[in-house]
Amino acid sequence: MLATHCLPCHGSNGAAPIRLDTPEAVERHRLLAAALVEDGTMPPSIAGGRVRSRALPSEDRLRLAALLRSATPPAVPSPHPAPEERDAANLAATLATTLAPQHAWTMPASGGARVRTFVIPSDARPTDGAAQGAGETLRVRGVRFADPGSLARSPIRMVSIAADPRRSMRRLDAADGEPGIDAMGNIGSVPSGALGALSRTSVRFELPPGFHLEVPPGDIVVETTCEPIGRRAAVLPRIAWIPATATDTRAVRAIALPVRGLAVDAGSCQTQELRHRMAEDADIVAVIVKGGAFLRTAAIAAGEAALVEVPDFRMAFNEPWCLTEPVRIGRGAELVARLGFDNTADNPQQPSSPPRDVVAGLPPYGEDAIVIVLYAVAE
Ligand code: HEC
């Protein structure tokens, strides 16, 4: 059970902060692990709806918790490499490049979440050396962390990726004096996340077969949401493309539903409803929700169909959500996102005591929230 349900994240190349792959490690953490398994925090699965759930059936949950609580630590079987790891090994051979900023930015030891955005030059070089030339648009099925194990001791919680073919963010980057920019990674009307997103609970983002993302030559902009980890720590996102194949013919685009002018008074709650009317028939493939400490609930629907429901949003467990099946939405139908904000003392993520007024802007002084919907025009 540990191998199947925990080690993908708590194993040698996992992104979680502790390892559970030796009897000694299990012994050290087993009571906390039992408590977190019992209350459903682990394995993390904060979203419901048409998305894959990691939640354990209740009998497995109780059995695993009981095993962890028992005095004898379970012997941990050496896990077969997860398909993801095997793929990663294969991909390492085919991928020509890992994208990374040239220099790391340093996250303070404490003081609230921060957003830091990096510009990475990329000429969309070919991944297989044949199909595409440098300077051409690259087709990818998705994106992955080049080295998920390095996230275990990193402040990075989520990265969202966008293309900047005009290289316009560079100027900001150059002006800022430090590596990275203190800004959301949106480029004009292109939302950050248009090329997918990654997090510690989703170290690989892959579109369903048949779909691809288009990466034009130019710069790649990588927005990182970071949380302090109690010591100063380097922030250096390293990502790699997952190449598309010839049959992944449908290009995926992004729609952004941003919260505008957020203002949540101290001690109050608020629901924001965001709407977008579709201009054409489309198949929705993924949903990305971005928010900080004050975002507590999210519900995204396409017309009548509920896509993703997050009843207890946690920045630490946020991830991009690929739908289990693409969902068709007709022209004229509406995408609706309802985001609930809580700026009371009851919010378990509340950073201030007593709560303070929250206004739009970057953390740690403000909050912005945005929903990004990835879709392909219906065939
Ligand atoms: C999809 C990835 C993922 C899976 C699967 C997963 N975890 Fe975790 N786990 C995490 C992350 C990420 C954190 C860190 C959360 C944070 O920073 O708030 C964590 C934290 C923990 C912690 C607390 C560590 C600490 O000291 O804060 C324990 C204990 C734990 N997990 C146990 C488990 C057990 C037991 C399982 C299997 C039943 C499991 N996890 C499955 C990602 C995962």
Side-chain angles (χ1 to χ4, degrees):
M1 288 177 92
L2 286 170
T4 311
H5 299 295
C6 314
L7 297 195
C9 302
H10 291 279
S12 59
N13 202 25
I18 57 167
R19 286 175 63 171
L20 295 172
D21 56 353
T22 62
E24 296 73 29
V26 174
E27 177 57 27
R28 195 170 327 125
H29 300 292
R30 67 189 173 85
L31 292 179
L32 176 59
L36 296 180
V37 168
E38 252 160 19
D39 74 7
T41 309
M42 287 291 140
S45 205
I46 60 172
R50 298 173 194 239
V51 297
R52 192 173 62 91
S53 170
R54 285 187 205 92
L56 289 179
S58 69
E59 62 272 29
D60 287 354
R61 205 168 69 212
L62 296 179
R63 193 167 144 247
L64 178 56
L67 284 169
L68 287 164
R69 278 194 200 287
S70 68
T72 329
V76 183
S78 66
H80 301 294
E84 299 196 347
E85 284 177 40
R86 280 200 307 269
D87 284 9
N90 292 342
L91 280 171
T94 51
L95 281 170
T97 45
T98 291
L99 299 173
Q102 278 187 321
H103 302 286
W105 174 74
T106 306
M107 173 83 191
S110 60
R114 296 287 284 267
V115 172
R116 199 82 196 166
T117 295
F118 298 90
V119 177
I120 304 174
S122 154
D123 63 356
R125 214 167 260 296
T127 53
D128 59 7
Q132 289 144 320
E136 285 176 27
T137 295
L138 178 67
R139 292 174 166 209
V140 300
R141 261 282 279 289
V143 67
R144 64 184 176 88
F145 278 120
D147 176 15
S150 69
L151 294 173
R153 297 163 57 74
S154 159
I156 295 176
R157 296 293 169 264
M158 178 114 169
V159 310
S160 306
I161 299 144
D164 183 6
R166 294 168 171 234
R167 304 184 191 269
S168 48
M169 290 287 263
R170 262 173 197 233
R171 269 165 296 189
L172 284 175
D173 195 9
D176 221 34
E178 280 189 85
I181 310 161
D182 199 12
M184 298 271 270
N186 301 328
I187 298 123
S189 60
V190 177
S192 160
L195 292 180
L198 296 167
S199 74
R200 283 188 309 170
T201 50
S202 181
V203 296
R204 186 182 167 92
F205 173 84
E206 191 165 353
L207 296 172
F211 296 89
H212 71 262
L213 298 161
E214 301 203 320
V215 187
D219 290 341
I220 300 300
V221 173
V222 177
E223 171 196 305
T224 59
T225 306
C226 308
E227 267 185 318
I229 56 169
R231 58 176 170 81
R232 284 159 57 86
V235 172
L236 187 79
R238 290 160 51 82
I239 61 163
W241 302 121
I242 299 168
T245 65
T247 54
D248 300 323
T249 51
R250 301 180 63 190
V252 165
R253 307 170 184 180
I255 293 171
L257 298 157
V259 171
R260 303 207 189 270
L262 187 71
V264 195
D265 293 343
S268 76
C269 293
Q270 191 183 101
T271 302
Q272 291 257 353
E273 195 170 83
L274 313 166
R275 291 176 172 270
H276 175 91
R277 191 172 295 282
M278 298 300 294
E280 51 209 336
D281 295 348
D283 291 319
I284 299 172
V285 292
V287 173
I288 300 167
V289 177
K290 293 195 278 179
F294 303 98
L295 181 64
R296 294 296 294 131
T297 60
I300 295 88
E304 299 298 302
L307 302 178
V308 180
E309 309 262 352
V310 191
D312 183 4
F313 183 88
R314 304 283 173 137
M315 209 175 15
F317 300 130
N318 191 17
E319 57 185 298
W321 284 294
C322 263
L323 305 183
T324 45
E325 292 277 338
V327 171
R328 177 65 55 92
I329 177 170
R331 174 168 179 239
E334 270 191 316
L335 283 171
V336 182
R338 277 192 198 86
L339 301 182
F341 296 89
D342 181 347
N343 189 11
T344 69
D346 292 340
N347 176 352
Q349 305 186 122
Q350 175 62 255
S352 311
S353 171
R356 291 194 266 176
D357 292 352
V358 169
V359 292
L362 290 182
Y365 308 110
E367 176 148 315
D368 275 328
I370 185 168
V371 174
I372 291 142
V373 175
L374 297 179
Y375 74 97
V377 175
E379 286 186 320

